[in-house]
Amino acid sequence: MNTASAVRAPRGGQSPILSIKGLSKRFGGVAAVDDVSLDVFPRETLAIIGPNGAGKTTFYNLLSGRMKPTSGTIMFDERDITGMPAHRISRLGVSRSFQINNIFNEMTVLENVEVAVTAYRGDSRRWLNLASRNRRVRDEAFELLARLSLSGLADRRAGVISYGDKRLVEIAVVLATRPHLVLLDEPTAGMTPDETQRVMALVRSLAADGDYTFLVTEHDMQVVFGLADRILVMHRGRRLVLGSPQEVRAHPDVRKAYLGDEDEEIAP
Ligand SMILES: Nc1ncnc2c1ncn2[C@@H]1O[C@H](COP(=O)(O)OP(=O)(O)O)[C@@H](O)[C@H]1O
Ligand SMILES: [Mg+2]
């Protein structure tokens, strides 16, 4: 349990960074996301859980602009981003990691992060040369790598590092764009326990002292309960339960609908 979150979680009068109302996405007869309303507050970490097919990835696709909703509205930072194209939403500060790797294998780890830092600065002129000359870009990239304990891999080609390290580099790339809202889709899937710990430590430290709000989908309940200020449980596209980790853990519907197995433990 993240005790610091108990201090951070109450937010009387604070306006949400993300405000979703009646959000739905249909694929033919299937409501992948079904009338979901939700407010997310600055600097909180909200975990989204639910069985396969619950609608988590579709929910991210709607928030990041990859898909347009069938109905409902999405406000980010008091701006209506419903149906906006992905590149505009990303420019506004919503960044997303993917379940698949999204980095350049031929470049070094450092170059991958430098490209992202430079791209964020909006300089399109021969960016790679520029980046290599620009000490500030390099420093920023190094600092991100250090935060992820990746400094030792800075000069390795991204194509040859381990799967877990690639996913960590991908998170560094996401953070290099200085997002305010970060959507992590199963960030620790396929990672070793050590790599999982590194991701958790990073998210915790960024949530504690940075201007970051995280949405995290995750199957690993230790990660969910170790990171989340609040948890949204989705089931068949709907918002089943939204509450503190304690509330979610105690909720009878969660065990029934999410686990589908009375004997299984939802948390350590
Ligand atoms: N592009 C798509 N076309 C048709 N059906 C889809 C598409 N994407 C997702 N679905 C359906 O929407 C539902 C929710 O899927 P998804 O968002 O991937 O859930 P989760 O990420 O929670 O596993 C599932 O029934 C899935 O089959
Ligand atoms: Mg998914």
Side-chain angles (χ1 to χ4, degrees):
M1 188 61 47
N2 185 356
T3 47
S5 65
V7 181
R8 213 167 63 237
R11 43 190 91 75
Q14 204 178 5
S15 46
I17 188 168
L18 184 66
S19 186
I20 296 160
K21 298 218 188 324
L23 193 66
S24 297
K25 177 68 180 180
R26 302 191 156 274
F27 298 107
V30 179
V33 171
D34 191 1
D35 195 24
V36 171
S37 296
L38 172 71
D39 282 342
V40 181
F41 294 89
R43 297 174 138 217
E44 81 169 323
T45 298
L46 180 88
I48 303 175
I49 65 173
N52 280 333
K56 305 178 297 292
T57 296
T58 303
F59 190 62
Y60 273 11
N61 285 336
L62 297 174
L63 296 184
S64 63
R66 270 189 108 193
M67 289 176 176
K68 291 191 196 309
T70 309
S71 57
T73 56
I74 307 167
M75 303 288 291
F76 172 68
D77 225 356
E78 300 181 346
R79 197 190 295 238
D80 190 344
I81 62 164
T82 317
M84 236 185 222
H87 68 272
R88 281 190 64 203
I89 293 177
S90 133
R91 272 269 162 229
L92 293 174
V94 179
S95 193
R96 166 184 185 169
S97 80
F98 291 88
Q99 275 169 302
I100 47 158
N101 274 299
N102 201 22
I103 57 178
F104 300 108
N105 284 329
E106 300 310 317
M107 291 187 194
T108 67
V109 166
L110 180 65
E111 284 165 352
N112 266 281
V113 181
E114 284 180 332
V115 166
V117 170
T118 309
Y120 167 77
R121 294 179 177 209
D123 195 327
S124 56
R125 290 171 293 130
R126 295 191 299 141
W127 36 262
L128 193 55
N129 279 334
L130 191 76
S132 60
R133 273 184 264 127
N134 187 332
R135 178 143 282 285
R136 293 221 314 270
V137 169
R138 176 150 293 195
D139 287 349
E140 198 170 323
F142 260 124
E143 197 185 309
L144 275 165
L145 292 180
R147 275 195 112 139
L148 282 151
S149 310
L150 289 170
S151 308
L153 297 180
D155 295 328
R156 301 284 301 279
R157 253 193 341 109
V160 303
I161 64 176
S162 74
Y163 173 78
D165 283 332
K166 274 191 194 176
R167 301 227 46 197
L168 290 166
V169 172
E170 198 200 5
I171 292 173
V173 164
V174 166
L175 296 174
T177 65
R178 293 193 199 160
H180 296 298
L181 178 66
V182 184
L183 313 178
L184 298 176
D185 203 352
E186 304 200 13
T188 71
M191 286 192 170
T192 65
D194 168 65
E195 289 160 348
T196 298
Q197 289 305 315
R198 275 150 69 189
V199 171
M200 287 179 71
L202 176 82
V203 172
R204 277 207 198 96
S205 82
L206 290 172
D209 40 69
D211 185 15
Y212 290 99
T213 305
F214 286 97
L215 299 192
V216 184
T217 73
E218 191 46 74
H219 280 300
D220 182 335
M221 287 302 134
Q222 294 213 33
V223 174
V224 168
F225 283 90
L227 285 183
D229 297 310
R230 292 191 300 159
I231 299 173
L232 167 68
V233 187
M234 290 184 72
H235 184 55
R236 296 188 180 145
R238 298 194 74 101
R239 170 180 148 171
L240 182 69
V241 178
L242 173 69
S244 68
Q246 294 91 323
E247 287 165 337
V248 165
R249 191 186 269 126
H251 203 289
D253 290 350
V254 173
R255 285 167 187 275
K256 255 189 284 169
Y258 176 64
L259 296 169
D261 178 352
E262 311 272 315
D263 296 332
E264 208 174 332
E265 274 295 310
I266 190 165

